Amino acid sequence: MKVFNILSLVATVVLTVKVSAADECFSTKLNYPCCKETKEVVYVDKDGEWGVENNNWCGMTQTNDNATVIIPENILEQQPQNNTTVDTTAADTTTNTTVITATSTITSDYMSKLKVVNTCPSEAIAKQSGVEYPTPKKVYYPSKTTNSDRPLNIILPTNYDESKKYPVLYLLHGIMGNEDSMLDATMGSITIPTNLANEGKAKEMIIVLPNEYAPEGGKEVTPAFNQEFFDGYDNFINDLVGSIMPYMEANYSILTGRENTAICGFSMGGRNSLYIGYKRPDLFGYVGAFSPAPGVTPGTDFSGYHKGLFTEDSFRSEIPPFVTLVSCGTHDSVVGQFPKSYHEILSRNNQEHIWFEIPGADHDGVAVSAGYYNFISAVFGALN
């Protein structure tokens, strides 16, 4: 396994920034639109102040006096660079799995602290005697995207206390699944985070399992492996950001901000997690993709041509996640080499990430549980 590094952008400072009238609509020269409505500055670089509208970056078109912005420290001086990594592998005789330790020349690199195991330990996915496990609760939220009430499964910590606030993980299913699909015991959606938190190896969190098929206006089409059907999944970003996240903030005691928000998923859910995480890095600080499906970037598989949610060159972020993890089984008979291609594209784009393969795993719970176990071990500052 290799970990690819850019200079750490974790440290932040609060700065007050002003943009002169001469900088108005600077973003059009960079092939981004000007902001038409938002006044919220979410990022600042040498070009000017950036906002987000319609799930896309936009440039501020007027002076934003006294705008308070949280931006990475010394962002103007930081440039992507490749760094040598050193891998050490040691046998773990207690779990009969391989522990892969990634070390980095960037000592502040958070991801390098994760000791990846290539198969989920059996004791992590099994229910343990004396441990209380939560029961998912199905609720319905009003969707502005589909103009209907839609279901969510919500997994609260067993000792959920409204006087406390919790980080949130959004867990996405595969194509033709629904909000119940990831509750299959082989996935470890409930047992893995509960067992790790009980051992002090993960943070307590709220886990949200939505139905990822969210066609605009609720206009569903016959399920098929074609772009018309895929469009309903591509549109999920609007339902998540515009309806689900506000619902969670209004109804549960949650921590907000990208440092407290994670997204991960299996197959189509992994594909969409990469898309949403890199499209809205201002909202999501942790991104996990387990056996991600085709379509993040252009490509062709058994179902035909995928237009790509990003071009290969644009599959990157100037505000990278604290953790990006991509994994896949060595014998995956469904998505083939697409997960590895995403790893290679992120590498070429100097995007820090973790990539590993699960020996002998197909497109199955063995592959999912391994990726999920490592991801849960790393989110929300658990490695600090």
Side-chain angles (χ1 to χ4, degrees):
M1 184 203 71
K2 294 183 178 179
V3 177
F4 297 83
N5 303 286
I6 66 171
L7 290 177
S8 175
L9 301 182
V10 176
T12 60
V13 292
V14 176
L15 300 179
T16 298
V17 183
K18 294 184 179 180
V19 176
S20 67
D23 290 327
E24 291 181 5
C25 216
F26 68 91
S27 58
T28 56
K29 298 178 182 179
L30 303 171
N31 296 318
Y32 288 96
C34 300
C35 298
K36 295 180 179 180
E37 297 181 2
T38 185
K39 303 299 181 185
E40 180 182 1
V41 179
V42 298
Y43 183 58
V44 175
D45 62 13
K46 60 183 176 59
D47 297 302
E49 295 178 340
W50 295 88
V52 174
E53 286 184 346
N54 300 317
N55 297 312
N56 196 19
W57 292 109
C58 60
M60 291 296 178
T61 58
Q62 59 185 11
T63 301
N64 206 350
D65 292 340
N66 299 320
T68 301
V69 191
I70 298 180
I71 64 173
E73 184 179 10
N74 300 325
I75 184 67
L76 299 184
E77 289 75 34
Q78 295 181 358
Q79 299 294 332
Q81 58 178 286
N82 290 318
N83 294 285
T84 304
T85 60
V86 179
D87 299 336
T88 59
T89 304
D92 184 337
T93 57
T94 61
T95 62
N96 197 31
T97 61
T98 299
V99 178
I100 308 171
T101 305
T103 60
S104 169
T105 56
I106 303 294
T107 57
S108 61
D109 177 19
Y110 179 77
M111 275 184 268
S112 69
K113 299 177 182 179
L114 179 65
K115 295 182 179 180
V116 173
V117 295
N118 62 7
T119 303
C120 180
S122 58
E123 65 271 19
I125 198 170
K127 286 191 174 182
Q128 301 297 318
S129 176
V131 176
E132 183 181 358
Y133 295 89
T135 300
K137 178 183 179 182
K138 185 166 291 191
V139 301
Y140 289 81
Y141 68 96
S143 170
K144 299 177 183 178
T145 303
T146 64
N147 300 320
S148 63
D149 290 338
R150 286 169 51 81
L152 287 175
N153 275 311
I154 298 177
I155 303 171
L156 299 175
T158 53
N159 59 346
Y160 177 74
D161 182 350
E162 290 188 352
S163 67
K164 295 172 55 178
K165 291 184 179 294
Y166 301 85
V168 181
L169 167 68
Y170 295 93
L171 178 57
L172 309 185
H173 60 78
I175 193 168
M176 300 185 191
N178 59 30
E179 70 280 0
D180 298 327
S181 301
M182 295 301 290
L183 294 175
D184 186 287
T186 64
M187 305 292 185
S189 301
I190 295 174
T191 52
I192 289 173
T194 303
N195 288 334
L196 286 173
N198 189 58
E199 297 173 10
K201 296 179 180 178
K203 300 290 187 178
E204 287 188 322
M205 66 190 76
I206 297 173
I207 302 173
V208 181
L209 294 81
N211 186 329
E212 199 181 346
Y213 182 62
E216 186 62 39
K219 298 177 181 178
E220 299 186 4
V221 300
T222 302
F225 288 95
N226 57 37
Q227 187 57 53
E228 185 182 20
F229 185 57
F230 298 158
D231 285 343
Y233 289 88
D234 297 349
N235 195 52
F236 176 69
I237 185 173
N238 296 311
D239 199 42
L240 176 61
V241 173
S243 296
I244 296 175
M245 294 177 75
Y247 173 85
M248 290 302 301
E249 188 170 352
N251 291 277
Y252 293 89
S253 184
I254 66 171
L255 293 166
T256 58
R258 67 193 300 263
E259 68 276 12
N260 298 305
T261 312
I263 188 167
C264 67
F266 169 51
S267 197
M268 177 62 83
R271 163 195 185 271
N272 261 6
S273 293
L274 288 171
Y275 170 54
I276 295 169
Y278 279 79
K279 188 72 172 178
R280 293 302 306 267
D282 56 312
L283 298 179
F284 299 93
Y286 301 89
V287 179
F290 320 133
S291 311
V296 177
T297 55
T300 302
D301 73 343
F302 68 89
S303 66
Y305 178 72
H306 298 267
K307 62 181 181 180
L309 295 160
F310 297 110
T311 65
E312 290 192 5
D313 288 343
S314 65
F315 184 20
R316 64 189 312 277
S317 175
E318 296 299 332
I319 315 175
F322 303 121
V323 170
T324 296
L325 184 148
V326 183
S327 61
C328 189
T330 58
H331 290 69
D332 195 301
S333 59
V334 177
V335 298
Q337 295 299 305
F338 279 93
K340 187 175 183 179
S341 75
Y342 300 148
H343 147 62
E344 292 170 344
I345 293 166
L346 288 170
S347 301
R348 288 198 300 271
N349 290 339
N350 294 309
Q351 298 293 289
E352 182 183 17
H353 68 285
I354 296 168
W355 157 253
F356 75 98
E357 296 177 290
I358 300 90
D362 200 339
H363 202 68
D364 54 22
V366 175
V368 174
S369 61
Y372 189 58
Y373 174 85
N374 285 285
F375 189 67
I376 293 296
S377 300
V379 296
F380 309 132
L383 298 175
N384 287 330

